[in-house]
Amino acid sequence: MMWRDPGTPADDYYPVRPESTDVPESTFRIKAGKTLSERRWRAAFSPEGHLDMSKILGRIHRGGIHPSIRGEVWEFLLGCFDPHSTSEERQEIREHRREKYKSLKATCKQLFPLIGSGKFVTAPIITENGDTTQDPIVIQQIKEVVGDTPMEDYPMDKKEIDWKLTLHQIGLDVIRTDRSLVFFEKQENLAKLWDVLSVYSWFDSDVGYGQGMSDLCSPMIILLEDEADAFWCFERLMRKLRGNFRCSGSSVGVESQLNCLAMVTQVVDPKLHQHLEHLGGGDYLFAFRMLMVLFRREFSFGDSLFLWEMMWALEYDPDLFSNYEDSSDSGSERPDANKPKPKSRKQIGKYERENMKNGAELPITVFLIANVLKEKSAKLLAEARGLDDVVKILNDCNGNLDAKKACAGAMKLHKKYLKQVINIRLIVC
């Protein structure tokens, strides 16, 4: 019988605190010949620094990314850099962004001195009217940073009031985020996460801060050593997800994706959809958390990162950087903006190719959740007598899902959905 290398557990790279005994183990294994290695990653670049995405997308989809290069690969998958750019062009953009982040952070520090101090707050610093709360712990923290210099009250505009009202909530979320990881035992790493989220909340004041963002930002802090690089990588991820965090009095931002999930389930599993509607779950709000934090609760830390990079590789579009830079002032001028760039099918993610071919724009996360529902369909139909039962059955998945199988199932469901929708169109026509 041939011996097979079981691979290195991903958890070895993200050590867990000894007292955290209830943390699910990662099923993701780093395997030679399957996982994107540093050697294969470097070989995908030309001498000038142009990246051939066709050499890495399939490898990521099949075996993930080695943790030693994960951060820099993510920067490309999320559209921080154009794969057709040179090493020098990317360095120029990186330096520009680092300066911009430095400026943003300096503005925030001027408004509240604990930004960048290595400390953070978990108590409110102002009231909704803009008055300081005079919390003794906050006052003591500020004194340790600026001495006895008094903090003067002054009229604040709505943007500043809204921003300052979020700072303590960010702090409360930071101390709850990935606390099982040894990395976040250090105060400096918690403060770094708080700084990045606080600056982002000021930078994107239209969305600000919402619960769940700390779960999305935490991996960036771990994977990218430079705080500015982590900030812009998180900002790119938020380009994909910021719509989820837009809320009004009458609707939640994630509502459009929940509507898509309902539509997909109705097509691929009409019996289950009818049952959920009967239980009062036709709005699919029970799937809210999965969409908001990209399955961070359903998978171990290592497996959730593996899942993310598989999703991004499957959805990858080489125009991502160009589209983002055209609508953003976050980077410098695009290198060779007017130069035509080759775009072959191999440079486009497998899932995205199917979408483009069929004129669809549904995100893969919708099909990941639809696949979870399909896998649990028999149990939901037999045992769910109310929404509490639905939530309980889905919560039983936490830590027990396989990221690779989940992606494969989502791809199959996507094909099935597109085929059935096309057949319905043909019948109607």
Side-chain angles (χ1 to χ4, degrees):
M1 185 176 178
M2 186 180 291
W3 179 82
R4 291 186 178 181
D5 178 12
T8 306
D11 292 343
D12 289 2
Y13 289 84
Y14 312 110
V16 171
R17 297 159 78 165
E19 65 271 24
S20 301
T21 55
D22 60 343
V23 178
E25 290 185 9
S26 174
T27 59
F28 172 48
R29 295 290 184 269
I30 300 156
K31 295 184 179 180
K34 290 191 175 181
T35 301
L36 178 64
S37 64
E38 182 174 4
R39 182 189 63 79
R40 189 172 281 267
W41 168 243
R42 303 295 172 216
F45 288 88
S46 72
E48 297 77 25
H50 303 294
L51 172 61
D52 186 348
M53 294 297 289
S54 66
K55 292 182 177 179
I56 67 165
L57 289 177
R59 178 61 64 102
I60 296 170
H61 171 212
R62 290 189 297 272
I65 303 167
H66 194 281
S68 63
I69 55 168
R70 191 166 246 157
E72 56 184 295
V73 180
W74 278 21
E75 288 182 298
F76 282 91
L77 290 178
L78 290 170
C80 292
F81 297 116
D82 187 343
H84 300 292
S85 62
T86 65
S87 302
E88 290 77 12
E89 288 167 339
R90 289 195 293 276
Q91 188 56 34
E92 182 186 336
I93 290 174
R94 191 182 292 283
E95 288 172 4
H96 176 91
R97 288 187 182 144
R98 285 178 178 177
E99 283 301 311
K100 174 143 186 153
Y101 179 71
K102 184 179 176 182
S103 175
L104 282 167
K105 193 172 178 181
T107 298
C108 292
K109 185 174 181 65
Q110 208 169 15
L111 296 172
F112 189 63
L114 291 192
I115 300 290
S117 69
K119 302 178 185 296
F120 58 93
V121 293
T122 55
I125 63 171
I126 64 167
T127 66
E128 291 189 2
N129 295 325
D131 300 322
T132 57
T133 58
Q134 299 299 320
D135 185 280
I137 297 174
V138 175
I139 292 171
Q140 180 58 35
Q141 285 179 309
I142 292 172
K143 276 186 178 181
E144 289 171 7
V145 174
V146 300
D148 290 323
T149 305
M151 294 290 292
E152 295 182 10
D153 282 329
Y154 59 90
M156 290 182 278
D157 60 18
K158 186 178 185 301
K159 178 181 177 180
E160 185 175 346
I161 290 173
D162 288 345
W163 178 70
K164 286 185 173 178
L165 285 170
T166 67
L167 295 183
H168 82 284
Q169 184 58 59
I170 296 173
L172 289 171
D173 289 348
V174 160
I175 60 174
R176 291 190 289 249
T177 302
D178 292 324
R179 289 317 307 275
S180 63
L181 298 180
V182 170
F183 181 85
F184 284 116
E185 283 184 321
K186 293 183 179 178
Q187 172 81 9
E188 64 193 79
N189 292 332
L190 292 171
K192 189 175 175 182
L193 178 57
W194 184 73
D195 283 345
V196 167
L197 290 167
S198 298
V199 175
Y200 180 81
S201 179
W202 175 261
F203 170 75
D204 188 1
S205 57
D206 189 36
V207 169
Y209 175 78
Q211 284 187 294
M213 286 187 188
S214 60
D215 294 285
L216 300 173
C217 187
S218 165
M220 312 303 178
I221 301 297
I222 294 171
L223 299 178
L224 292 156
E225 187 175 348
D226 190 285
E227 187 179 310
D229 297 343
F231 174 87
W232 291 113
C233 199
F234 172 65
E235 189 267 343
R236 280 323 200 233
L237 175 57
M238 286 302 297
R239 294 292 186 100
K240 287 174 170 283
L241 304 174
R242 69 193 295 272
N244 289 354
F245 292 90
R246 284 177 176 271
C247 294
S248 66
S250 58
S251 66
V252 292
V254 78
E255 191 171 13
S256 62
Q257 286 197 58
L258 292 173
N259 290 338
C260 288
L261 176 60
M263 177 178 67
V264 168
T265 307
Q266 188 172 16
V267 171
V268 299
D269 196 340
K271 195 172 180 181
L272 176 62
H273 176 73
Q274 188 177 12
H275 182 60
L276 292 171
E277 278 204 321
H278 176 71
L279 298 179
D283 53 12
Y284 284 69
L285 278 172
F286 52 80
F288 178 88
R289 191 184 67 191
M290 292 185 194
L291 283 171
M292 290 297 281
V293 297
L294 292 184
F295 301 91
R296 282 298 313 275
R297 301 292 185 274
E298 285 69 34
F299 294 90
S300 70
F301 182 80
D303 282 5
S304 63
L305 305 195
F306 176 38
L307 177 71
W308 287 7
E309 59 207 19
M310 281 194 295
M311 287 164 46
W312 299 336
L314 288 166
E315 287 186 308
Y316 184 76
D317 182 345
D319 288 337
L320 200 59
F321 172 83
S322 301
N323 294 338
Y324 284 165
E325 290 300 296
D326 284 341
S327 62
S328 168
D329 63 353
S330 62
S332 60
E333 291 298 316
R334 286 193 289 123
D336 301 321
N338 298 316
K339 183 172 73 177
K341 294 167 185 171
K343 181 176 176 178
S344 72
R345 282 176 58 83
K346 289 183 179 179
Q347 292 173 325
I348 302 170
K350 190 176 179 182
Y351 178 88
E352 181 62 16
R353 288 204 299 269
E354 288 294 320
N355 267 346
M356 292 171 72
K357 186 171 75 176
N358 293 282
E361 294 184 359
L362 295 171
I364 195 170
T365 45
V366 167
F367 288 93
L368 281 163
I369 299 172
N371 183 63
V372 171
L373 293 175
K374 188 173 183 298
E375 292 290 311
K376 294 291 179 182
S377 182
K379 192 174 181 66
L380 287 165
L381 288 169
E383 299 178 19
R385 295 293 173 261
L387 287 181
D388 287 346
D389 295 331
V390 174
V391 172
K392 183 181 182 303
I393 291 168
L394 293 180
N395 281 345
D396 288 343
C397 297
N398 293 1
N400 297 315
L401 294 176
D402 183 296
K404 194 167 185 178
K405 286 180 182 177
C407 260
M411 290 291 288
K412 286 181 183 176
L413 215 55
H414 182 233
K415 280 192 173 183
K416 180 181 178 182
Y417 170 78
L418 291 175
K419 186 178 179 181
Q420 288 186 234
V421 166
I422 290 169
N423 287 340
I424 290 168
R425 285 176 187 164
L426 290 173
I427 292 168
V428 170
C429 291

